[in-house]
């Protein structure tokens, strides 16, 4: 997997670049996943150029020496685009990857050809959610990542996915448990400290695709509908029967939605 070094803090960032055609699509993974979570998109959108980073501490990217912010992760994505001489891309993420995508919009909007926001939310954490993150970070540090996986995993997938596709749950368990406990703790605290992105929704003037699973228990479709309506040029697609990890649970539907969105963008750009 190629790497770039982010010079100011000597951090290596690993990423996959599939090198296909069309407008490049950046896919930013959720918590505590890694770039492997986008495998069904890498396989199913093989005619597209996908740029898929491992965020700090996950997959092949080492954890930073110092805690980071989600804004820093968005800057890492911009630096990957610099390294690849990609001026503009569609930038997207799932859940925590969506939080990073909002930061990318805040900091690098001139580089955005479109946004993809999957199973995510613009709101900052409530005080209660922050306390819960701190508790989970302590559990990760004291008991290891498996303690966090054990608590989160049952909430991630739709009941039908758990029944019919136990292999998806096992794949996620393996991926989550592979995350070093300190990386999990640091990411939890970065998410707890993230800014509220609700005020920037109205500023998003790039074409935006919002996707949510109909059974997403973490970011319910009704809430998603409410915030997506505040983005001027957003389209919301609900994936029936998917939970919070819609790209893994219903990859064909997810890929078709993304392909249609990218086709529409390209048609718009040449019209
Ligand atoms: C994720 O899937 O990235 C997490 O559910 C995000 C979060 O904990 O807020």
């Amino acid at each position: 997997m190629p790497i770039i070094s982010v010079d100011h803090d000597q951090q290596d960032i690993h990423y996959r670049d599939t090198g296909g055609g069309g407008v490049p699509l950046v896919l930013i993974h959720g918590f505590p996943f890694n770039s492997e979570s986008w495998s069904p998109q890498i396989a199913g959108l093989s005619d597209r150029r996908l740029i898929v980073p491992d965020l700090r501490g996950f997959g092949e990217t080492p954890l930073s020496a110092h805690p980071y912010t989600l804004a820093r992760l968005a800057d890492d994505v911009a630096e990957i685009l610099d390294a690849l001489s990609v001026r503009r891309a569609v930038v997207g993420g799932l859940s925590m990857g969506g939080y990073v995508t909002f930061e990318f919009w805040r900091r690098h909007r001139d580089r955005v050809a479109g946004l993809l926001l999957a199973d995510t939310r613009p709101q900052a954490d409530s005080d209660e959610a922050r306390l819960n993150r701190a508790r989970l970070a302590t559990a990760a540090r004291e008991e290891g990542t498996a303690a966090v996986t054990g608590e989160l995993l049952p909430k991630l997938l739709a009941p039908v996915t758990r029944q019919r596709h136990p292999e998806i749950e096992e794949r996620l368990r393996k991926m989550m448990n592979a995350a070093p406990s300190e990386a999990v703790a640091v990411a939890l605290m970065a998410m707890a400290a993230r800014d509220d992105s609700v005020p920037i929704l109205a500023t998003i003037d790039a074409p935006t695709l919002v996707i949510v699973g109909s059974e997403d228990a973490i970011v319910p479709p009704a809430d998603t509908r409410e915030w997506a309506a505040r983005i001027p040029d957003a389209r919301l697609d609900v994936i029936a029967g998917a939970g919070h990890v819609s790209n893994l649970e219903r990859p064909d539907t997810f890929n078709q939605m993304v392909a249609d969105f990218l086709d529409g963008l390209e048609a718009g750009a040449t019209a």
Side-chain angles (χ1 to χ4, degrees), residues 17-26 41-42 45-51 86 88-90 258-259 262-263 265-266:
D17 175 9
T18 65
V23 57
L25 170 63
V26 178
Q41 284 61 55
I42 291 173
L45 297 167
S46 55
D47 54 335
R48 300 281 173 179
R49 182 173 187 185
L50 304 188
I51 298 167
V86 170
R88 291 173 85 233
V90 175
V258 173
L262 296 175
D263 287 347
L265 274 183
E266 282 159 10

Side-chain angles (χ1 to χ4, degrees), residues 36-45 171 247-249 251-252 255:
E36 198 233 308
S37 64
W38 294 110
S39 300
Q41 284 61 55
I42 291 173
L45 297 167
R171 182 177 180 179
N247 72 304
L248 276 179
E249 296 182 62
D252 294 345
N255 290 350

Side-chain angles (χ1 to χ4, degrees), residues 26-245:
V26 178
L27 291 174
I28 307 171
H29 63 78
F31 167 85
F33 307 160
N34 59 57
S35 59
E36 198 233 308
S37 64
W38 294 110
S39 300
Q41 284 61 55
I42 291 173
L45 297 167
S46 55
D47 54 335
R48 300 281 173 179
R49 182 173 187 185
L50 304 188
I51 298 167
V52 191
D54 276 336
L55 299 177
R56 294 177 182 225
F58 298 99
E60 293 187 30
T61 297
L63 184 60
S64 344
H66 306 289
Y68 56 75
T69 60
L70 296 189
R72 179 61 249 176
L73 299 187
D75 291 350
D76 289 346
V77 171
E79 293 189 34
I80 292 172
L81 297 183
D82 289 345
L84 295 172
S85 303
V86 170
R87 179 72 208 126
R88 291 173 85 233
V90 175
V91 177
L94 181 124
S95 200
M96 180 177 77
Y99 308 158
V100 177
T101 301
F102 284 120
E103 282 299 333
F104 194 92
W105 174 259
R106 207 180 247 114
R107 302 165 73 80
H108 305 287
R109 67 178 67 182
D110 56 317
R111 309 194 67 168
V112 172
L115 293 178
L116 167 63
L117 297 162
D119 300 287
T120 192
R121 59 159 85 79
Q123 295 86 357
D125 277 358
S126 63
D127 289 346
E128 188 188 348
R130 286 196 185 104
L131 283 175
N132 195 43
R133 302 247 195 231
R135 182 185 61 77
L136 281 173
T138 302
R141 287 184 171 124
E142 290 180 356
E143 300 164 46
T145 299
V148 175
T149 303
E151 200 167 317
L152 297 187
L153 186 55
K155 301 178 202 154
L156 293 183
L157 302 173
V160 66
T161 306
R162 298 187 79 188
Q163 276 159 18
R164 295 200 196 148
H165 294 285
E167 76 284 359
I168 295 181
E169 188 160 8
E170 277 323 296
R171 182 177 180 179
L172 267 185
R173 186 191 311 280
K174 216 169 144 202
M175 197 187 312
M176 294 166 82
N177 282 344
S181 53
E182 187 57 23
V184 168
V186 170
L188 281 164
M189 298 324 289
M191 286 193 283
R194 73 186 188 279
D195 286 336
D196 184 7
S197 292
V198 173
I200 65 168
L201 294 175
T203 73
I204 298 177
D205 54 5
T208 299
L209 174 61
V210 180
I211 294 179
V212 68
S214 66
E215 310 302 311
D216 190 330
I218 295 177
V219 289
D223 296 356
T224 305
R225 203 175 295 284
E226 195 273 320
W227 64 256
R230 300 191 199 189
I231 300 178
D233 187 13
R235 157 188 171 160
L236 170 67
D237 281 349
V238 179
I239 302 189
H244 186 58
V245 198

